[in-house]
Amino acid sequence: MLNEKTALRSRLLAARAAMSPEQRKQAGLELGRRALELLPARLPAVVAGYVSVGAEPGTQALLDALRARGVRVLLPLLQEDNDLDWGVYQGAESLVGARRGLREPGGAPLGPEAVCAADLVLMPGLAVDRRGVRLGRGGGSYDRVLARLAAAGSRAPLVTLLYDDEVLPEIPAEAHDRPVDAAVTPSKLWRFGA
């Protein structure tokens, strides 16, 4: 199964790398608009998001739109052990460079448990299947976040942001994999489960 996941990751990363900067920019704008459709009439008070990097689907427009609507947006801070701490998003100008080319909030860390206050959790990924099984990059950071949310009894919807061709029929799953509730692509909102 590990070799299957590794090969799938390589194929998906190559497809992302082949996209032009203009295609990525347009997809990020569409993704932001589509993701806002997820929000209920009563906006969530806290959304855990992330700052996209490299060829990931762009999140900047979405983060700014959430913040403009008065939503408190938490962003991850990558720790040495690949666990995630969290900080408050204060706008693009407040982001600082971090390890692995990431951009993170420059304010005081809130602690790894801060994610448990989120009403909605947006997660990066490389793909998701129609059961909601998410394929990440393999570092385990979000597996820890998902375990933390489950232990806290969080009912926050889990949503992965992807390109249109990254919703697949099936992804190899392991026993610890927790499915996401939805995926957002530039052209569609996918809901999984009951």
Side-chain angles (χ1 to χ4, degrees):
M1 183 175 311
L2 183 59
N3 287 341
E4 276 183 84
K5 284 187 171 184
T6 300
L8 183 56
R9 283 185 182 104
S10 294
R11 184 173 58 83
L12 292 163
L13 288 168
R16 283 183 176 184
M19 295 176 73
S20 72
E22 184 54 42
Q23 287 173 309
R24 288 187 203 131
K25 180 180 177 184
Q26 187 60 39
L29 294 173
E30 293 297 324
L31 183 78
R33 283 194 278 275
R34 183 83 52 217
L36 291 174
E37 293 176 11
L38 265 178
L39 301 179
R42 187 179 70 77
L43 289 174
V46 180
V47 171
Y50 65 97
V51 179
S52 56
V53 295
E56 287 181 334
T59 59
Q60 192 64 58
L62 176 57
L63 297 175
D64 290 337
L66 289 168
R67 187 169 176 260
R69 287 169 171 78
V71 175
R72 184 174 195 224
V73 179
L74 303 180
L75 297 177
L77 305 164
L78 184 64
Q79 304 302 294
E80 289 294 326
D81 64 355
N82 282 343
D83 202 353
L84 298 178
D85 200 331
W86 298 86
V88 178
Y89 179 58
Q90 300 293 338
E93 66 285 348
S94 71
L95 297 173
V96 298
R99 293 184 316 118
R100 297 187 187 172
L102 299 175
R103 293 183 314 144
E104 300 176 342
L110 304 174
E113 301 297 325
V115 70
C116 297
D119 302 304
L120 175 67
V121 179
L122 304 174
M123 299 184 301
L126 294 173
V128 70
D129 72 15
R130 295 185 183 173
R131 301 168 296 166
V133 173
R134 175 186 154 273
L135 179 68
R137 288 190 177 252
S141 297
Y142 277 90
D143 289 333
R144 295 180 201 185
V145 169
L146 294 173
R148 192 169 284 125
L149 290 166
S154 172
R155 299 178 69 88
L158 307 172
V159 180
T160 302
L161 306 177
L162 301 167
Y163 292 111
D164 287 321
D165 58 352
E166 295 173 341
V167 177
L168 306 176
E170 188 172 4
I171 292 173
E174 297 178 56
H176 69 271
D177 288 334
R178 180 175 173 199
V180 296
D181 300 297
V184 179
T185 70
S187 68
K188 188 170 180 175
L189 170 60
W190 298 78
R191 295 188 190 273
F192 309 113

PDB file of all heavy atoms in Angstrom, residues 83-100:
ATOM      1  N   ASP A  83       4.372  18.191  14.070  1.00  0.00           N
ATOM      2  CA  ASP A  83       3.063  18.490  14.633  1.00  0.00           C
ATOM      3  C   ASP A  83       2.745  19.942  14.293  1.00  0.00           C
ATOM      4  O   ASP A  83       3.612  20.702  13.850  1.00  0.00           O
ATOM      5  CB  ASP A  83       3.064  18.275  16.151  1.00  0.00           C
ATOM      6  CG  ASP A  83       1.651  18.045  16.709  1.00  0.00           C
ATOM      7  OD1 ASP A  83       0.666  18.177  15.957  1.00  0.00           O
ATOM      8  OD2 ASP A  83       1.548  17.739  17.911  1.00  0.00           O
ATOM      9  N   LEU A  84       1.499  20.325  14.481  1.00  0.00           N
ATOM     10  CA  LEU A  84       1.086  21.680  14.152  1.00  0.00           C
ATOM     11  C   LEU A  84       0.624  22.442  15.382  1.00  0.00           C
ATOM     12  O   LEU A  84      -0.216  21.963  16.140  1.00  0.00           O
ATOM     13  CB  LEU A  84      -0.054  21.656  13.122  1.00  0.00           C
ATOM     14  CG  LEU A  84       0.276  21.021  11.771  1.00  0.00           C
ATOM     15  CD1 LEU A  84      -0.945  21.007  10.873  1.00  0.00           C
ATOM     16  CD2 LEU A  84       1.434  21.723  11.093  1.00  0.00           C
ATOM     17  N   ASP A  85       1.173  23.612  15.580  1.00  0.00           N
ATOM     18  CA  ASP A  85       0.679  24.615  16.518  1.00  0.00           C
ATOM     19  C   ASP A  85      -0.202  25.531  15.661  1.00  0.00           C
ATOM     20  O   ASP A  85      -0.311  25.335  14.443  1.00  0.00           O
ATOM     21  CB  ASP A  85       1.862  25.372  17.131  1.00  0.00           C
ATOM     22  CG  ASP A  85       1.502  26.082  18.428  1.00  0.00           C
ATOM     23  OD1 ASP A  85       0.330  26.474  18.608  1.00  0.00           O
ATOM     24  OD2 ASP A  85       2.409  26.259  19.268  1.00  0.00           O
ATOM     25  N   TRP A  86      -0.818  26.538  16.257  1.00  0.00           N
ATOM     26  CA  TRP A  86      -1.726  27.398  15.510  1.00  0.00           C
ATOM     27  C   TRP A  86      -1.543  28.851  15.904  1.00  0.00           C
ATOM     28  O   TRP A  86      -1.199  29.148  17.046  1.00  0.00           O
ATOM     29  CB  TRP A  86      -3.179  26.957  15.737  1.00  0.00           C
ATOM     30  CG  TRP A  86      -3.392  25.569  15.232  1.00  0.00           C
ATOM     31  CD1 TRP A  86      -3.158  24.406  15.912  1.00  0.00           C
ATOM     32  CD2 TRP A  86      -3.791  25.185  13.925  1.00  0.00           C
ATOM     33  NE1 TRP A  86      -3.396  23.322  15.096  1.00  0.00           N
ATOM     34  CE2 TRP A  86      -3.791  23.767  13.871  1.00  0.00           C
ATOM     35  CE3 TRP A  86      -4.159  25.896  12.783  1.00  0.00           C
ATOM     36  CZ2 TRP A  86      -4.145  23.064  12.729  1.00  0.00           C
ATOM     37  CZ3 TRP A  86      -4.506  25.192  11.636  1.00  0.00           C
ATOM     38  CH2 TRP A  86      -4.505  23.782  11.618  1.00  0.00           C
ATOM     39  N   GLY A  87      -1.776  29.733  14.945  1.00  0.00           N
ATOM     40  CA  GLY A  87      -1.726  31.167  15.176  1.00  0.00           C
ATOM     41  C   GLY A  87      -2.882  31.834  14.449  1.00  0.00           C
ATOM     42  O   GLY A  87      -3.513  31.231  13.573  1.00  0.00           O
ATOM     43  N   VAL A  88      -3.163  33.084  14.786  1.00  0.00           N
ATOM     44  CA  VAL A  88      -4.283  33.816  14.199  1.00  0.00           C
ATOM     45  C   VAL A  88      -3.822  34.550  12.944  1.00  0.00           C
ATOM     46  O   VAL A  88      -2.787  35.221  12.943  1.00  0.00           O
ATOM     47  CB  VAL A  88      -4.883  34.814  15.211  1.00  0.00           C
ATOM     48  CG1 VAL A  88      -6.013  35.620  14.580  1.00  0.00           C
ATOM     49  CG2 VAL A  88      -5.379  34.072  16.447  1.00  0.00           C
ATOM     50  N   TYR A  89      -4.608  34.437  11.884  1.00  0.00           N
ATOM     51  CA  TYR A  89      -4.331  35.134  10.631  1.00  0.00           C
ATOM     52  C   TYR A  89      -4.749  36.588  10.766  1.00  0.00           C
ATOM     53  O   TYR A  89      -5.900  36.894  11.054  1.00  0.00           O
ATOM     54  CB  TYR A  89      -5.100  34.460   9.498  1.00  0.00           C
ATOM     55  CG  TYR A  89      -4.919  35.109   8.150  1.00  0.00           C
ATOM     56  CD1 TYR A  89      -3.657  35.251   7.589  1.00  0.00           C
ATOM     57  CD2 TYR A  89      -6.013  35.550   7.424  1.00  0.00           C
ATOM     58  CE1 TYR A  89      -3.492  35.821   6.339  1.00  0.00           C
ATOM     59  CE2 TYR A  89      -5.863  36.120   6.173  1.00  0.00           C
ATOM     60  CZ  TYR A  89      -4.599  36.256   5.638  1.00  0.00           C
ATOM     61  OH  TYR A  89      -4.436  36.824   4.400  1.00  0.00           O
ATOM     62  N   GLN A  90      -3.788  37.489  10.539  1.00  0.00           N
ATOM     63  CA  GLN A  90      -4.046  38.931  10.631  1.00  0.00           C
ATOM     64  C   GLN A  90      -3.913  39.610   9.271  1.00  0.00           C
ATOM     65  O   GLN A  90      -3.791  40.823   9.210  1.00  0.00           O
ATOM     66  CB  GLN A  90      -3.061  39.577  11.621  1.00  0.00           C
ATOM     67  CG  GLN A  90      -3.137  39.040  13.026  1.00  0.00           C
ATOM     68  CD  GLN A  90      -4.450  39.386  13.716  1.00  0.00           C
ATOM     69  OE1 GLN A  90      -5.141  40.325  13.354  1.00  0.00           O
ATOM     70  NE2 GLN A  90      -4.801  38.604  14.720  1.00  0.00           N
ATOM     71  N   GLY A  91      -3.911  38.850   8.198  1.00  0.00           N
ATOM     72  CA  GLY A  91      -3.759  39.393   6.857  1.00  0.00           C
ATOM     73  C   GLY A  91      -2.456  38.929   6.232  1.00  0.00           C
ATOM     74  O   GLY A  91      -1.520  38.533   6.926  1.00  0.00           O
ATOM     75  N   ALA A  92      -2.401  39.000   4.905  1.00  0.00           N
ATOM     76  CA  ALA A  92      -1.238  38.495   4.164  1.00  0.00           C
ATOM     77  C   ALA A  92       0.057  39.167   4.594  1.00  0.00           C
ATOM     78  O   ALA A  92       1.111  38.526   4.646  1.00  0.00           O
ATOM     79  CB  ALA A  92      -1.466  38.678   2.669  1.00  0.00           C
ATOM     80  N   GLU A  93      -0.023  40.449   4.944  1.00  0.00           N
ATOM     81  CA  GLU A  93       1.189  41.178   5.327  1.00  0.00           C
ATOM     82  C   GLU A  93       1.764  40.706   6.653  1.00  0.00           C
ATOM     83  O   GLU A  93       2.927  40.968   6.962  1.00  0.00           O
ATOM     84  CB  GLU A  93       0.908  42.694   5.382  1.00  0.00           C
ATOM     85  CG  GLU A  93      -0.053  43.117   6.464  1.00  0.00           C
ATOM     86  CD  GLU A  93      -1.536  42.817   6.206  1.00  0.00           C
ATOM     87  OE1 GLU A  93      -1.913  42.467   5.074  1.00  0.00           O
ATOM     88  OE2 GLU A  93      -2.314  42.931   7.170  1.00  0.00           O
ATOM     89  N   SER A  94       0.980  39.996   7.445  1.00  0.00           N
ATOM     90  CA  SER A  94       1.456  39.528   8.756  1.00  0.00           C
ATOM     91  C   SER A  94       2.129  38.160   8.687  1.00  0.00           C
ATOM     92  O   SER A  94       2.655  37.677   9.684  1.00  0.00           O
ATOM     93  CB  SER A  94       0.287  39.463   9.748  1.00  0.00           C
ATOM     94  OG  SER A  94      -0.577  38.391   9.407  1.00  0.00           O
ATOM     95  N   LEU A  95       2.125  37.526   7.503  1.00  0.00           N
ATOM     96  CA  LEU A  95       2.719  36.200   7.366  1.00  0.00           C
ATOM     97  C   LEU A  95       4.237  36.301   7.281  1.00  0.00           C
ATOM     98  O   LEU A  95       4.771  37.236   6.679  1.00  0.00           O
ATOM     99  CB  LEU A  95       2.176  35.499   6.120  1.00  0.00           C
ATOM    100  CG  LEU A  95       0.672  35.226   6.125  1.00  0.00           C
ATOM    101  CD1 LEU A  95       0.228  34.680   4.774  1.00  0.00           C
ATOM    102  CD2 LEU A  95       0.281  34.295   7.254  1.00  0.00           C
ATOM    103  N   VAL A  96       4.910  35.339   7.889  1.00  0.00           N
ATOM    104  CA  VAL A  96       6.372  35.311   7.877  1.00  0.00           C
ATOM    105  C   VAL A  96       6.845  33.991   7.262  1.00  0.00           C
ATOM    106  O   VAL A  96       6.145  32.980   7.318  1.00  0.00           O
ATOM    107  CB  VAL A  96       6.960  35.476   9.303  1.00  0.00           C
ATOM    108  CG1 VAL A  96       6.570  36.824   9.886  1.00  0.00           C
ATOM    109  CG2 VAL A  96       6.506  34.357  10.231  1.00  0.00           C
ATOM    110  N   GLY A  97       8.042  34.013   6.695  1.00  0.00           N
ATOM    111  CA  GLY A  97       8.614  32.806   6.128  1.00  0.00           C
ATOM    112  C   GLY A  97       8.966  31.811   7.214  1.00  0.00           C
ATOM    113  O   GLY A  97       9.360  32.191   8.319  1.00  0.00           O
ATOM    114  N   ALA A  98       8.814  30.539   6.896  1.00  0.00           N
ATOM    115  CA  ALA A  98       9.084  29.472   7.865  1.00  0.00           C
ATOM    116  C   ALA A  98       9.771  28.305   7.149  1.00  0.00           C
ATOM    117  O   ALA A  98      10.010  28.361   5.947  1.00  0.00           O
ATOM    118  CB  ALA A  98       7.781  29.021   8.525  1.00  0.00           C
ATOM    119  N   ARG A  99      10.040  27.257   7.904  1.00  0.00           N
ATOM    120  CA  ARG A  99      10.668  26.056   7.337  1.00  0.00           C
ATOM    121  C   ARG A  99       9.880  25.523   6.148  1.00  0.00           C
ATOM    122  O   ARG A  99       8.679  25.718   6.064  1.00  0.00           O
ATOM    123  CB  ARG A  99      10.723  24.939   8.397  1.00  0.00           C
ATOM    124  CG  ARG A  99      11.629  25.218   9.543  1.00  0.00           C
ATOM    125  CD  ARG A  99      11.763  24.076  10.568  1.00  0.00           C
ATOM    126  NE  ARG A  99      10.536  23.427  10.962  1.00  0.00           N
ATOM    127  CZ  ARG A  99      10.285  22.118  10.748  1.00  0.00           C
ATOM    128  NH1 ARG A  99      11.146  21.343  10.162  1.00  0.00           N
ATOM    129  NH2 ARG A  99       9.155  21.582  11.146  1.00  0.00           N
ATOM    130  N   ARG A 100      10.596  24.853   5.258  1.00  0.00           N
ATOM    131  CA  ARG A 100      10.017  24.173   4.094  1.00  0.00           C
ATOM    132  C   ARG A 100       9.272  25.116   3.147  1.00  0.00           C
ATOM    133  O   ARG A 100       8.341  24.705   2.460  1.00  0.00           O
ATOM    134  CB  ARG A 100       9.094  23.039   4.529  1.00  0.00           C
ATOM    135  CG  ARG A 100       9.812  21.950   5.285  1.00  0.00           C
ATOM    136  CD  ARG A 100       8.919  20.793   5.554  1.00  0.00           C
ATOM    137  NE  ARG A 100       9.584  19.828   6.415  1.00  0.00           N
ATOM    138  CZ  ARG A 100       8.980  18.796   6.940  1.00  0.00           C
ATOM    139  NH1 ARG A 100       7.714  18.571   6.710  1.00  0.00           N
ATOM    140  NH2 ARG A 100       9.649  17.976   7.721  1.00  0.00           N
TER     141      ARG A 100
END
